[in-house]
Amino acid sequence: MSRLALITGGSSGIGLALSKKLAERGYDLAWVSLDEAELAQAKADLMVDHEDLRIETLALDLSSPDAARRVFQWANGLSGDGVELLVNNAGLGVYGDSAGLSIEAEQLMIDVNIKALHALTRTFLPSIEERGGTIINVASNSAFVPTPRLAVYAATKAFVHHYSTALQQELSGSGSPVRVMTVCPSAVSDTPFKERAAMDRVRTFSSFTATTADEVAYDIVVGLDRGSDRVITGAAMRRAMWLMRFAPQSLIQWLTRRETGQI
Ligand SMILES: NC(=O)c1ccc[n+]([C@@H]2O[C@H](COP(=O)([O-])OP(=O)(O)OC[C@H]3O[C@@H](n4cnc5c(N)ncnc54)[C@H](OP(=O)(O)O)[C@@H]3O)[C@@H](O)[C@H]2O)c1
């Protein structure tokens, strides 16, 4: 049986770093991203070190209402065995006070980070149940705390965390062969995300808890091997999260406002 990993946002940042690790494990790759030229360039770069690797690409705006159906049809045409690993990684952030951002900019985050992830998860679930496999949904450590200046972004990631965790519990309770893994990266310093989100004032990117895309990808494949339901990336962030269990909510909220440059 062929092993196909479908990774949204596979041509950039965390998705690209994870793609390299999956290629080393023998997966064929299917990428869905927005920018066709970036897809072609990332594919050419990755194939320099992996000559025999199969990478299929689809340039598609995941915020469009029928995106999940189109991705599913495309992926089915790639392999008779279907997708073994679905990685819902594509996402975007926009920095600033909610009242100062356009409604459209905020709704785009909801469309990509929530609606597309949910639709892809639901659309692929029956076929992954048939063959067995894993769905990896990329949330963020901002899923855990209401985050001023990233109010909608953090709320979209809270959705990803809650939905994916509850779905995993439902599936394991019903004996399903599908695992849903939620990934909560701390700030990742070396992907285009920070610039794209205009997060210059966010301190977390230079904090001791910051990670790199390679570290996130490493933690994800370790989580896959262990069968983890949730992966918090970066050893320093995992220690910080453990300590935060003993901290009052008011301190956590103050630290969050400080990290995001609100105070
Ligand atoms: N970087 C961080 O600090 C951080 C921390 C926690 C969680 N995360 C999450 O990690 C995930 C990956 O982020 P990253 O850091 O690797 O950033 P990135 O390099 O900007 O990757 C985002 C990917 O999403 C794709 N994408 C965005 N909007 C899309 C749309 N409408 N349709 C199709 N594809 C779309 C982008 O495609 P194009 O490149 O073609 O535009 C890109 O490949 C995101 O979900 C992000 O929220 C990131």
Side-chain angles (χ1 to χ4, degrees):
M1 202 180 253
S2 68
R3 308 190 77 190
L4 180 63
L6 192 154
I7 305 162
T8 66
S11 52
S12 175
I14 294 169
L16 183 55
L18 179 60
S19 292
K20 290 176 189 162
K21 299 243 179 289
L22 295 176
E24 283 156 16
R25 289 170 169 235
Y27 279 95
D28 296 330
L29 304 176
W31 289 342
V32 183
S33 298
L34 203 49
D35 183 337
E36 193 150 17
E38 181 191 273
L39 278 163
Q41 187 61 52
K43 176 177 174 174
D45 291 347
L46 192 48
M47 293 204 59
V48 171
D49 291 329
H50 302 85
E51 275 176 10
D52 300 328
L53 179 62
R54 180 176 178 206
I55 309 178
E56 303 289 346
T57 66
L58 176 66
L60 180 75
D61 185 351
L62 287 169
S63 70
S64 61
D66 66 340
R69 186 187 55 78
R70 288 174 61 188
V71 173
F72 187 66
Q73 275 176 356
W74 172 72
N76 272 349
L78 298 177
S79 157
D81 296 329
V83 168
E84 178 184 315
L85 188 59
L86 169 65
V87 186
N88 282 307
N89 161 74
L92 72 154
V94 183
Y95 178 79
D97 286 347
S98 178
L101 298 174
S102 73
I103 294 174
E104 291 75 16
E106 294 198 321
Q107 284 178 339
L108 183 61
M109 282 188 277
I110 294 169
D111 287 345
V112 178
N113 300 2
I114 294 180
K115 285 187 177 177
L117 176 141
H118 170 257
L120 285 165
T121 300
R122 290 297 317 278
T123 304
F124 277 88
L125 186 55
S127 63
I128 302 181
E129 284 216 284
E130 237 168 67
R131 61 155 294 159
T134 304
I135 299 174
I136 298 176
N137 286 342
V138 178
S140 162
N141 69 350
S142 66
F144 302 117
V145 193
T147 309
R149 298 256 161 107
L150 289 168
V152 170
Y153 175 74
T156 66
K157 294 304 185 178
F159 172 92
V160 176
H161 177 233
H162 277 227
Y163 171 64
S164 309
T165 305
L167 181 62
Q168 165 54 28
Q169 289 171 9
E170 289 173 0
L171 292 171
S172 92
S174 65
S176 166
V178 181
R179 172 172 300 280
V180 180
M181 187 168 104
T182 311
V183 178
C184 299
S186 57
V188 185
S189 55
D190 62 347
T191 74
F193 178 84
K194 180 185 167 193
E195 275 68 43
R196 289 173 169 179
M199 288 188 190
D200 301 344
R201 296 185 58 194
V202 176
R203 293 189 175 97
T204 330
F205 289 94
S206 46
S207 124
F208 71 101
T209 57
T211 51
T212 63
D214 272 344
E215 285 174 275
V216 174
Y218 174 82
D219 284 341
I220 291 175
V221 293
V222 169
L224 266 177
D225 289 345
R226 289 185 181 156
S228 308
D229 296 345
R230 188 175 78 175
V231 170
I232 292 168
T233 69
M237 191 67 214
R238 286 191 286 277
R239 280 195 290 275
M241 291 278 296
W242 188 84
L243 282 172
M244 277 195 294
R245 291 193 292 181
F246 306 101
Q249 197 56 36
S250 54
L251 174 62
I252 293 171
Q253 202 60 63
W254 180 83
L255 284 169
T256 304
R257 291 173 65 201
R258 195 182 162 279
E259 288 294 301
T260 58
Q262 201 206 13
I263 50 176

